[in-house]
Amino acid sequence: MYEHDVIVVGGGGAGLRAAIAAQEEGADVAIVTKLHPVRSHTGAAEGGINAALREGDDWELHAYDTMKGSDYLGDAPAIETLAQDAPEEVFQIEHWGMPFSREEDGRVSQRPFGGLSFPRTTYAGAETGHHLLHTMYEQVVKRGIQVYDEWYVMDLAVTDEETPEERSCHGIVAYDVQSGEIAGFKANDGVILATGGPGQAFDHTTNAVACTGDGYAMAYRAGVPMEDMEFVQFHPTTLPSTGVLISEGVRGEGGILYNADGERFMFEHGYANNDGELASRDVVSRAELTEVNAGRGFEDEYVMLDMRHLGEERIVDRLENILHLAEDFEGVDGLKEPMPVKPGQHYEMGGIETDENGHTCIDGLYAAGETACVSVHGANRLGGNALPELIVFGARAGKHAAGGDLGEAQIETGERGDIEYDETELPYQPGEVGMDTGPSGGVAADGGAVAADADAVVEREVEAQRERVSTLMERDEGVQHSQIRADLQKTMTQNVNVFREEEGLKQALRDIREIREAYQDVYVDDPSRTFNTDLQQTIETRNLIDVAETITLGALVRTEFRGAHWRAEHQERKDDEWLKHTLVGWNDGDPTIFYRPTILEGENKTYEPKERSY
Amino acid sequence: MSTQVPETETETETETEPAGESHQERRMTEKAAKREYRDAQKKAEQELRAAEESVHLKVFRYDPEVEDKQEPRFDDFYVPYTKGMTVLDALMYARDHYDASLTFRHSCRQAVCGSDAMFVNGRQRLCCKTQLSEMAEPVRIEPLPHQDVVKDLVVDMEHFYDQMHAVEPYFQSEDVPKEEQRQSRENREKIKMSTRCIWCGACMSSCNIAAGDNEYLGPAAINKAYRFYMDEREDEEELKEHRLRILEQEHGVWRCQTQFSCTEVCPKDIPLTEHIQELKREAVKNNLKFW
Ligand SMILES: Cc1cc2nc3c(=O)[nH]c(=O)nc-3n(C[C@H](O)[C@H](O)[C@H](O)COP(=O)(O)OP(=O)(O)OC[C@H]3O[C@@H](n4cnc5c(N)ncnc54)[C@H](O)[C@@H]3O)c2cc1C
Ligand code: SF4
Ligand code: FES
């Protein structure tokens, strides 16, 4: 068994920042990650990091824009923390060597982004995430923080008291992808999940193949509620062939969208008379699809994004990477032609419920980054707000796990406090089908008896995972994960996409149920223990099923139209009823849905819900 | 004693070791038989494909653990072609439809994670960035040369990472910032290309010198050092000399014989050879200073 004070799962932006913070707090930290850190998906981020750095801007404006962007579903303590901590964090990574783009006077450049009242997005060309990731990894190397790379984390080692709020997390179980060795990792002070997004639940996504929602699923099964999962951001400008993202920076710099009739539809069809292409992402995504559905798209699929008028010099200076992407993945020369674009799954705004310190309702279990929902993005994330989230809340989770003092959290977590239960009739029974192909829950079943003995909790989970792998490997026929995953992606894309209808959502739930049943017969064809990606993807697929179900459940019960969540039957934002978070608890395989009110009281003011117009 | 308590650690170990082995063997034979049957089916399907519009891949296979893969071999796959398909798309198709054990690294599929550098038609390339339409058939896909093969197309990257770490790839300062440091546009421009490296390992794999001298820092690590050496934000004399000393060591910059193979294969168009040359000049200047 390996042992450290703090174990960070994931080596993307959030994980690296968390590890550095925990180490600065004096902890012995290790990062356990299925990809080498520099391969993490943070490297794909293009556009930039929001932080109020300049005169004329301040954190309160940043917080206000974020709250408005969230459609009043963000929690004020989280949003204000983000806005307050972001500048310092940005200066910090600049000092660590981040090669930001520069102004004439040598200061870092900032540019306008959708939904921002000030050009507050700091960037490094159109490769901000790449530089952020590498810069932070460099600091991890400098500090000698131990990295277990290409170790796949299969589950958490959590005790099994009756309610999640009484449980504690003592470590993780992981396997070495290269050798197949399964091992326990004991965490004396805490485990931080920083495993990134679940884009692979959809078939057209900007997310990497590794974005399989592992962290969500592990925390969910251990008893942490999934918060606001129905809010999936679809980015309006992805390349139709692959889902590769064309940064919002293109529109920020003045790129325009037009339809097959040559109309600049954001204005001409009145989708956003003021902000046009720079309206927030949900608005632009819906506009594009509406155009396509009305027969004004190209090849019934996409619209065009044009940046030629910006001129070669400006494009090369600020968006050079976009030229390469368009060329390599769509065969288009962005200097001479417009680029075809359509909406694609991009970001999960919900996630593992945490407070402002990254802590979940389970003692010793933290989450940060895209996988977490501290509730800064609410119903809609503003471009450039995910990267500051990684560093702000990554740092806080790391510090808190290592014993640092961040003060009392204002956000409550778990099934306690001011909550109410949902009573929607579901078309089927969600949750567990079959126990042998996946853990029934992430908890070590032994009454409270072993709770005191962390070693035993970890050991027990190691055994459970060894058995699970044996079962998967021994079975010699059945269904392959690739088939199951494809079915899952298909129903999610058809039914839980930008536009959602009640019947479609119910259909998705029925399909997911069937997919769960099919998964009982899943088998791993590759008999080898060495670098068995077949085995890894089979486990990942199980995680995707659990995550997809929480997204769909949330989408079904939220009968209103808010931010990215559009419902055919409910075309208005219903503030009287729905200024609240949806929470889905695994409840040992029998999911419960409950709600907690949004916190709109900030430090100095209360945010009043207003119409979002752009 | 431990036999009484099936959950204890000793018990599971003694039980799984010997029993596990024979069991594993049995499982392997059974699996092998079923596999054979399926393979025959897939082969038939593939022959059908071969007749249609499809792309012919020849893929390197090796697995130290699986008997018929212990001897390296090439497998043929016929993948239906669609416009815009990349080499990575074809590999994924082959894996998902024909052989789930086909193993390769990949993640971002947009040329930023650096995990799918392979040897395609005789050259180091990122598979996700390589259009099939530009490749002559059959498309031959092999792991990066001069690296140890772990399995199929996966190579051991440890050595590459070690070399990257050896140049102390990080800013050294410890100060706590109140605002950003200044950096001129020109200076950012100067280091820009060097900061684009995605650690794919293509350059190392293409370099003859690195192939013959395991201790040679190699183009990627030297480029990484360049990125810090040239960055005006870190301009202490002492530090710069420290960096030069690392680069000037026996297996450092002077090993480079300007063959340009690294520069040729770098998927991020980093002028590696030029950067190495520039650092050689810096080293000379620095040494002259002490004469
Ligand atoms: C194309 C694209 C462009 C974007 N552009 C911007 C932008 O301009 N500005 C902005 O603010 N945001 C942007 N975003 C969003 C932002 O980049 C992501 O939300 C963020 O990078 C996620 O970081 P993370 O650290 O949470 O996860 P990731 O970077 O995805 O890291 C996840 C880590 O977890 C590890 N991991 C996962 N599962 C396991 C497991 N089971 N066991 C072990 N390890 C595991 C992985 O190996 C990886 O190291 C963009 C996103 C995309 C996809
Ligand atoms: S320098 Fe180029 S070829 Fe070498 S590792 Fe970096 S990106 Fe790859
Ligand atoms: S898959 Fe990431 S570089 Fe090709």
Side-chain angles (χ1 to χ4, degrees):
Chain A
M1 193 189 302
Y2 299 89
E3 183 178 340
H4 296 277
D5 295 338
V6 174
I7 289 176
V8 179
V9 183
L16 297 173
R17 188 66 189 87
I20 293 168
Q23 206 241 14
E24 280 176 350
E25 203 59 39
D28 156 37
V29 194
I31 296 172
V32 185
T33 168
K34 67 180 179 182
L35 305 171
H36 184 280
V38 302
R39 318 269 179 239
S40 300
H41 199 54
T42 293
E46 296 167 9
I49 308 177
N50 297 340
L53 307 177
R54 295 284 174 261
E55 213 147 289
D57 196 8
D58 66 40
W59 74 261
E60 291 190 56
L61 282 173
H62 185 187
Y64 174 76
D65 290 343
T66 305
M67 184 57 98
K68 178 179 170 214
S70 82
D71 229 341
Y72 302 90
L73 206 68
D75 283 334
I79 288 179
E80 295 193 339
T81 302
L82 175 90
Q84 284 165 342
D85 288 8
E88 196 182 310
E89 285 291 335
V90 167
F91 290 143
Q92 176 71 79
I93 51 174
E94 194 284 328
H95 277 251
W96 285 338
M98 173 102 174
F100 281 115
S101 295
R102 299 283 164 167
E103 293 302 321
E104 283 303 346
D105 64 359
R107 304 187 73 174
V108 298
S109 300
Q110 296 195 296
R111 65 178 161 210
F113 244 39
L116 299 182
S117 58
F118 189 90
R120 154 181 327 124
T121 309
T122 308
Y123 60 97
E127 313 156 344
T128 311
H130 164 82
H131 294 303
L132 178 76
L133 182 67
H134 282 259
T135 302
M136 280 200 297
Y137 178 63
E138 287 157 16
Q139 292 298 310
V140 163
V141 172
K142 176 180 179 182
R143 290 163 165 76
I145 292 172
Q146 176 143 18
V147 179
Y148 298 86
D149 69 303
E150 295 191 333
W151 275 79
Y152 180 81
V153 178
M154 309 175 71
D155 231 323
L156 304 168
V158 173
T159 57
D160 76 335
E161 284 84 356
E162 186 71 21
T163 64
E165 297 74 34
E166 297 165 52
R167 295 176 190 160
S168 40
C169 178
H170 292 292
I172 56 165
V173 179
Y175 81 87
D176 180 356
V177 178
Q178 285 220 15
S179 72
E181 175 201 346
I182 298 176
F185 288 73
K186 189 168 89 167
N188 297 324
D189 295 339
V191 170
I192 302 173
L193 292 170
T195 48
Q200 290 297 321
F202 294 82
D203 71 2
H204 189 79
T205 174
T206 62
N207 283 196
V209 176
C211 295
T212 53
D214 298 338
Y216 304 84
M218 290 190 280
Y220 179 46
R221 292 189 305 249
V224 183
M226 295 293 106
E227 181 175 355
D228 295 338
M229 293 297 283
E230 62 271 31
F231 295 104
V232 178
Q233 179 160 77
F234 295 88
H235 197 290
T237 56
T238 73
L239 297 176
S241 59
T242 46
V244 165
L245 180 88
I246 298 302
S247 162
E248 184 161 322
V250 175
R251 282 170 293 136
E253 297 292 341
I256 62 171
L257 288 167
Y258 64 84
N259 63 18
D261 296 344
E263 298 165 313
R264 198 171 168 186
F265 57 86
M266 289 308 296
F267 293 104
E268 289 184 40
H269 288 275
Y271 298 106
N273 289 326
N274 295 323
D275 294 3
E277 284 84 2
L278 273 179
S280 77
R281 292 174 176 179
D282 55 325
V283 175
V284 183
S285 289
R286 279 192 299 272
E288 290 176 0
L289 281 187
T290 308
E291 288 300 300
V292 170
N293 293 343
R296 295 190 292 269
F298 293 84
E299 294 183 26
D300 273 340
E301 197 191 351
Y302 51 85
V303 297
M304 288 292 184
L305 174 63
D306 200 349
M307 62 175 184
R308 290 172 295 182
H309 57 285
L310 301 179
E312 180 163 351
E313 196 187 327
R314 181 134 158 235
I315 294 174
V316 171
D317 182 40
R318 303 182 175 201
L319 300 163
E320 188 185 338
N321 184 42
I322 300 302
L323 290 177
H324 298 306
L325 294 177
E327 174 76 44
D328 294 340
F329 301 103
E330 204 74 43
V332 165
D333 178 354
L335 291 176
K336 300 207 177 85
E337 304 156 83
M339 300 173 276
V341 292
K342 72 175 207 179
Q345 190 284 344
H346 180 56
Y347 186 89
E348 174 54 78
M349 287 161 300
I352 300 169
E353 186 203 36
T354 71
D355 62 26
E356 323 82 284
N357 302 331
H359 204 211
T360 70
C361 65
I362 292 181
D363 191 34
L365 183 60
Y366 295 78
E370 183 166 344
T371 207
C373 180
V374 49
S375 207
V376 285
H377 309 306
N380 176 59
R381 172 176 75 86
L382 296 180
N385 257 355
L387 296 178
E389 179 192 15
L390 304 183
I391 50 182
V392 166
F393 293 100
R396 291 177 74 89
K399 188 169 179 194
H400 197 267
D405 182 16
L406 292 171
E408 186 86 23
Q410 293 172 53
I411 296 174
E412 225 167 353
T413 57
E415 223 169 314
R416 58 189 160 198
D418 189 6
I419 60 168
E420 73 184 270
Y421 289 90
D422 176 81
E423 276 151 23
T424 310
E425 286 253 350
L426 298 177
Y428 83 123
Q429 178 56 39
E432 184 68 293
V433 180
M435 304 288 222
D436 52 347
T437 43
S440 55
V443 289
D446 192 21
V450 294
D453 186 351
D455 286 25
V457 176
V458 178
E459 270 309 323
R460 188 171 295 271
E461 192 55 35
V462 169
E463 276 321 307
Q465 294 304 323
R466 287 205 173 125
E467 245 168 68
R468 176 187 187 192
V469 169
S470 302
T471 312
L472 289 172
M473 300 274 293
E474 274 168 29
R475 201 173 283 160
D476 37 33
E477 58 191 344
V479 206
Q480 291 192 333
H481 71 82
S482 51
Q483 180 60 48
I484 294 179
R485 195 182 289 207
D487 288 347
L488 184 72
Q489 292 176 339
K490 195 169 142 213
T491 191
M492 291 301 284
T493 302
Q494 230 160 42
N495 299 309
V496 201
N497 214 311
V498 174
F499 293 128
R500 299 164 175 188
E501 291 176 17
E502 182 169 335
E503 194 29 56
L505 293 169
K506 288 187 170 160
Q507 186 54 45
L509 285 174
R510 285 190 289 265
D511 290 346
I512 292 172
R513 168 80 185 197
E514 270 178 36
I515 287 163
R516 269 192 198 286
E517 276 162 20
Y519 191 84
Q520 284 188 270
D521 297 322
V522 79
Y523 83 110
V524 175
D525 195 32
D526 187 349
S528 175
R529 289 273 172 174
T530 307
F531 224 101
N532 192 332
T533 49
D534 191 10
L535 172 65
Q536 181 179 332
Q537 292 188 310
T538 300
I539 299 172
E540 289 172 342
T541 300
R542 163 62 205 257
N543 291 336
L544 281 173
I545 299 173
D546 288 344
V547 176
E549 191 168 72
T550 62
I551 295 173
T552 314
L553 283 172
L556 180 69
V557 297
R558 185 177 286 275
T559 48
E560 66 159 350
F561 169 16
R562 185 179 299 271
H565 176 62
W566 182 99
R567 286 281 305 263
E569 305 84 1
H570 305 276
Q571 285 294 300
E572 53 181 320
R573 193 176 86 184
K574 300 174 187 163
D575 284 346
D576 308 341
E577 239 182 295
W578 284 105
L579 274 176
K580 60 189 183 190
H581 302 289
T582 43
L583 294 141
V584 183
W586 174 247
N587 194 21
D588 298 325
D590 182 16
T592 38
I593 302 172
F594 58 99
Y595 304 101
R596 185 193 304 287
T598 309
I599 307 172
L600 295 176
E601 296 85 47
E603 209 171 276
N604 306 322
K605 67 159 172 270
T606 296
Y607 298 84
E608 285 297 332
K610 284 199 194 102
E611 185 87 32
R612 255 172 89 222
S613 59
Y614 289 99
Chain B
M1 182 196 79
S2 60
T3 37
Q4 240 75 19
V5 197
E7 308 297 349
T8 63
E9 191 179 326
T10 27
E11 156 54 36
T12 16
E13 267 177 17
T14 44
E15 201 185 72
T16 43
E17 287 313 312
E21 253 188 59
S22 65
H23 185 74
Q24 171 150 0
E25 269 168 35
R26 198 162 6 97
R27 183 176 64 79
M28 293 281 243
T29 1
E30 278 168 22
K31 269 194 127 148
K34 299 224 167 148
R35 262 181 87 81
E36 220 170 279
Y37 171 71
R38 274 197 303 272
D39 285 352
Q41 278 187 321
K42 284 173 187 163
K43 208 167 164 209
E45 189 188 334
Q46 295 230 19
E47 273 159 17
L48 267 179
R49 287 263 180 237
E52 299 165 13
E53 219 228 309
S54 61
V55 177
H56 181 185
L57 310 179
K58 265 196 162 330
V59 183
F60 179 89
R61 307 302 300 274
Y62 164 76
D63 187 332
E65 245 188 290
V66 173
E67 211 186 320
D68 69 338
K69 276 171 83 184
Q70 278 165 357
E71 195 57 45
R73 61 166 204 242
F74 280 87
D75 280 358
D76 297 290
F77 295 101
Y78 295 89
V79 170
Y81 178 75
T82 47
K83 191 176 160 280
M85 203 172 196
T86 63
V87 173
L88 179 65
D89 294 332
L91 279 174
M92 288 166 73
Y93 189 96
R95 180 196 62 201
D96 291 348
H97 294 83
Y98 305 139
D99 183 352
S101 74
L102 176 58
T103 305
F104 47 91
R105 286 194 186 95
H106 66 302
S107 187
C108 69
R109 77 233 186 290
Q110 57 181 87
V112 292
C113 76
S115 59
D116 66 340
M118 294 174 215
F119 201 56
V120 183
N121 281 357
R123 184 184 192 269
Q124 287 78 359
R125 306 172 201 266
L126 286 184
C127 290
C128 63
K129 203 188 148 178
T130 305
Q131 290 284 328
L132 273 178
S133 57
E134 286 161 22
M135 296 292 108
E137 279 188 68
V139 184
R140 217 176 137 88
I141 309 174
E142 299 163 76
L144 286 181
H146 308 308
Q147 330 292 77
D148 292 333
V149 178
V150 176
K151 174 174 167 185
D152 292 351
L153 300 163
V154 174
V155 294
D156 190 344
M157 293 291 288
E158 255 352 276
H159 178 63
F160 178 84
Y161 298 146
D162 287 346
Q163 302 306 76
M164 291 300 262
H165 293 167
V167 297
E168 300 186 8
Y170 35 78
F171 262 25
Q172 309 275 358
S173 88
E174 304 275 351
D175 59 348
V176 181
K178 291 231 166 36
E179 59 171 41
E180 73 264 49
Q181 308 166 88
R182 304 302 158 102
Q183 180 184 26
S184 68
R185 283 186 165 180
E186 296 69 37
N187 185 248
R188 177 176 186 269
E189 206 54 35
K190 173 147 189 76
I191 61 159
K192 186 172 91 181
M193 293 311 285
S194 65
T195 60
R196 291 205 167 148
C197 173
I198 55 173
W199 297 43
C200 70
C203 54
M204 273 291 249
S205 158
S206 77
C207 172
N208 278 328
I209 319 300
D213 172 4
N214 206 33
E215 284 174 62
Y216 174 43
L217 287 172
I222 297 175
N223 172 69
K224 191 81 182 167
Y226 176 97
R227 176 249 169 286
F228 289 102
Y229 184 83
M230 294 296 174
D231 195 316
E232 68 185 13
R233 288 174 292 173
E234 191 187 77
D235 68 345
E236 278 167 57
E237 259 327 291
E238 233 170 274
L239 257 174
K240 287 188 110 82
E241 270 172 38
H242 175 68
R243 291 202 184 277
L244 277 184
R245 270 197 297 279
I246 297 174
L247 288 166
E248 270 203 286
Q249 51 157 305
E250 195 187 339
H251 301 276
V253 284
W254 298 109
R255 286 281 149 129
C256 169
Q257 295 177 8
T258 51
Q259 294 174 348
F260 285 93
S261 57
C262 54
T263 306
E264 247 160 62
V265 300
C266 176
K268 289 289 162 185
D269 302 324
I270 303 171
L272 294 163
T273 313
E274 221 171 278
H275 287 169
I276 300 173
Q277 293 307 100
E278 226 179 305
L279 287 172
K280 283 183 187 169
R281 284 196 291 276
E282 286 297 313
V284 172
K285 272 196 278 181
N286 191 52
N287 288 341
L288 284 176
K289 204 171 65 186
F290 295 107
W291 278 10

